[in-house]
Amino acid sequence: METPGTSFISIDFWNTIVNAHTNGEKRAKRRIEALHKLAESFGKNISATDVKQAHAHASARFDEIWLGQARTPNSYELVGFTLESLKLSISPEQQRELAFVYEESLLDGPPELAPGVLEAVEKLAAHYKLGIISDTMFSPGRVLKAFLNDKGLGRHFSAFAFSDEVGVSKPHPKMFEKILTETGSSTQGSWHIGDIQQTDIKGAQGFGIKGILYTGVSDFHKKDTTADLICESWEQVCDAVIKS
């Protein structure tokens, strides 16, 4: 049996621990309400189309920076991109307040857990030190931690690397180095589990650990992955990495 601490398993958050596509309408509703309220305070009416285009603009800027610079813009920046599209100029304090609403919206519309992840994480924690490595968008690390604690998962993780806190995003080695250091582990026998080839699998293998492409929620990268393993369920993950 593996001795906890000799190796680590790091796990992605979006579309690995949770299904990112669930309850998104509730999160969006909270953000849109706050945006409309702010615009109205300036005597400006914005349409649903305006908001959709503004959020698309923010998402495009996010992808440009995320994939091009290995950094994820924080909520304050993303709200700035949104306001830029709407041609709405507000004070830094008002922008921070709006960004806070965007951040907290995850708790208004929490995503559903991936099937079997609760049981799997508990099993994995008996054999490995566990960490979370997640790129963030509107929801920062502090909110994702609160979610994990609320679901009873947080107690199983001893290290966290969120891109808004580390200052870089996957596949940058600093994300993986943080987990290695904080768990006191070795790269030998360690794994990272995620759903994206370019960030999760490339990042893991570039750092010298094995990568599992989890396809239980999204199998978009299944045909073009270099992953050491492809698992479509958390049961398969446990069977593959837990050695007795």
Side-chain angles (χ1 to χ4, degrees):
M1 178 180 293
E2 295 278 358
T3 302
T6 59
S7 304
F8 73 83
I9 287 181
S10 56
I11 306 174
D12 174 45
F13 183 83
W14 295 104
N15 284 343
T16 304
I17 285 180
V18 302
N19 185 333
H21 307 293
T22 54
N23 288 324
E25 69 284 353
K26 294 180 181 179
R27 299 190 289 277
K29 182 175 183 291
R30 182 73 181 92
R31 295 165 183 166
I32 291 169
E33 286 175 348
L35 196 55
H36 275 291
K37 184 177 180 180
L38 178 65
E40 288 171 1
S41 72
F42 283 85
K44 182 173 182 176
N45 292 318
I46 53 177
S47 68
T49 299
D50 292 333
V51 173
K52 184 176 181 179
Q53 290 176 343
H55 282 162
H57 171 70
S59 293
R61 290 295 305 276
F62 176 89
D63 287 346
E64 177 185 333
I65 296 169
W66 175 42
L67 299 176
Q69 301 176 22
R71 179 183 77 82
T72 55
N74 60 31
S75 298
Y76 183 86
E77 291 176 271
L78 289 168
V79 165
F81 297 148
T82 301
L83 297 171
E84 175 183 79
S85 176
L86 293 170
K87 295 181 174 56
L88 186 60
S89 179
I90 64 176
S91 71
E93 180 58 31
Q94 289 171 315
Q95 188 168 327
R96 281 191 289 270
E97 291 175 357
L98 182 59
F100 183 78
V101 173
Y102 271 61
E103 292 173 352
E104 294 284 308
S105 66
L106 179 87
L107 305 178
D108 294 313
E112 295 176 3
L113 293 174
V117 72
L118 269 172
E119 298 81 2
V121 166
E122 186 171 0
K123 288 179 182 178
L124 293 173
H127 298 264
Y128 294 85
K129 287 292 184 69
L130 301 186
I132 295 286
I133 300 181
S134 178
D135 291 341
T136 59
M137 192 177 179
F138 284 121
S139 305
R142 67 171 181 82
V143 173
L144 300 188
K145 286 178 190 174
F147 172 89
L148 291 168
N149 289 335
D150 182 63
K151 296 298 182 181
L153 282 164
R155 62 191 176 90
H156 295 299
F157 296 91
S158 56
F160 300 87
F162 296 108
S163 59
D164 69 297
E165 298 175 354
V166 179
V168 295
S169 61
K170 294 175 289 185
H172 200 290
K174 283 186 179 180
M175 294 286 276
F176 299 87
E177 181 69 37
K178 188 173 188 290
I179 303 301
L180 181 77
T181 300
E182 293 183 2
T183 59
S185 300
S186 167
T187 55
Q188 184 175 2
S190 293
W191 298 80
H192 175 69
I193 306 166
D195 68 299
I196 301 178
Q197 166 64 26
Q198 184 172 347
T199 57
D200 293 301
I201 305 306
K202 182 180 177 181
Q205 293 174 334
F207 188 67
I209 64 176
K210 293 181 178 179
I212 294 177
L213 185 74
Y214 171 73
T215 62
V217 174
S218 170
D219 65 356
F220 184 79
H221 293 277
K222 186 175 182 179
K223 294 182 179 180
D224 64 355
T225 188
T226 61
D228 297 277
L229 291 173
I230 299 174
C231 295
E232 63 181 21
S233 71
W234 275 101
E235 184 179 8
Q236 287 184 1
V237 171
C238 289
D239 289 344
V241 304
I242 297 177
K243 304 175 179 63
S244 58

